[in-house]
């Protein structure tokens, strides 16, 4: 768009010469006025195209949100992470399991060590066993 506007400005300035056949209250010739109208028409066409593309993208995003909302309604909750404490009330150690929903993998985060875990192992440890 910035190139379009730059081109428009250049053409508009070039067309504003001292033509002796100027018409109207503003002092522009009919050719200059027509050139401006043509340029604005082209700009309007580009704006209309951009609006159409944005409306299509908005429709796609709305569909994605509806799909996600439906998935959330189909399940009571979507388990994402579990924090585990090993030890007593006075001392112990915490670590966490976090699920990557894109890959469907569970990861154990234990201090600086991160390892992949099976869902079976994650659920077993979450039950305290």
């Amino acid at each position: 768009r910035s190139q379009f506007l730059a081109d428009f400005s250049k053409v508009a300035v070039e067309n504003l010469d001292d033509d002796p056949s100027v018409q109207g209250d503003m002092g522009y010739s009919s050719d200059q006025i027509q050139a401006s109208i043509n340029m604005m028409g082209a700009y309007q066409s580009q704006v209309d195209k951009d609006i159409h593309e944005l409306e299509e993208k908005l429709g796609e995003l709305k569909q994605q949100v509806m799909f996600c909302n439906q998935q959330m309604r189909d399940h009571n909750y979507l388990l994402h992470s579990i924090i585990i404490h090993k030890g007593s009330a006075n001392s112990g150690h915490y670590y966490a399991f976090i699920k990557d929903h894109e890959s469907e993998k569970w990861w154990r985060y234990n201090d600086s060590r991160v390892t992949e875990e099976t869902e079976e192992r994650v659920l077993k440890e979450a039950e305290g066993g």
Side-chain angles (χ1 to χ4, degrees):
R1 270 196 201 162
S2 60
Q3 183 60 46
F4 177 83
L5 292 175
D7 292 344
F8 176 81
S9 298
K10 181 180 175 188
V11 170
V13 169
E14 289 173 355
N15 286 333
L16 296 177
D17 57 7
D18 295 326
D19 189 342
S21 64
V22 286
Q23 301 172 355
D25 295 335
M26 299 300 293
Y28 301 117
S29 71
S30 59
D31 289 341
Q32 291 169 327
I33 293 170
Q34 188 59 50
S36 296
I37 290 169
N38 293 344
M39 291 296 283
M40 288 301 185
Y43 182 67
Q44 181 63 46
S45 295
Q46 182 63 45
V47 169
D48 290 343
K49 180 182 174 197
D50 290 349
I51 289 171
H52 179 73
E53 289 173 0
L54 289 170
E55 286 173 341
E56 283 183 348
K57 183 66 176 171
L58 179 62
E60 292 170 11
L61 291 172
K62 284 181 178 180
Q63 289 293 328
Q64 290 175 2
V65 168
M66 285 177 28
F67 177 75
C68 290
N69 286 341
Q70 184 59 46
Q71 282 186 318
M72 296 300 286
R73 278 190 226 101
D74 291 344
H75 305 286
N76 290 332
Y77 61 90
L78 183 62
L79 186 59
H80 175 72
S81 62
I82 301 170
I83 306 261
I84 306 288
H85 178 260
K86 295 280 186 179
S88 66
N90 294 327
S91 68
H93 180 72
Y94 287 95
Y95 59 97
F97 293 107
I98 301 176
K99 186 171 187 176
D100 176 359
H101 291 282
E102 284 188 24
S103 67
E104 294 295 317
K105 293 180 181 179
W106 280 96
W107 297 93
R108 177 194 298 255
Y109 292 81
N110 191 350
D111 294 331
S112 64
R113 188 168 180 200
V114 178
T115 55
E116 186 177 347
E117 281 292 346
T118 65
E119 186 166 323
E120 179 183 10
R121 179 77 180 160
V122 169
L123 297 178
K124 184 176 180 185
E125 286 194 38
E127 293 174 355

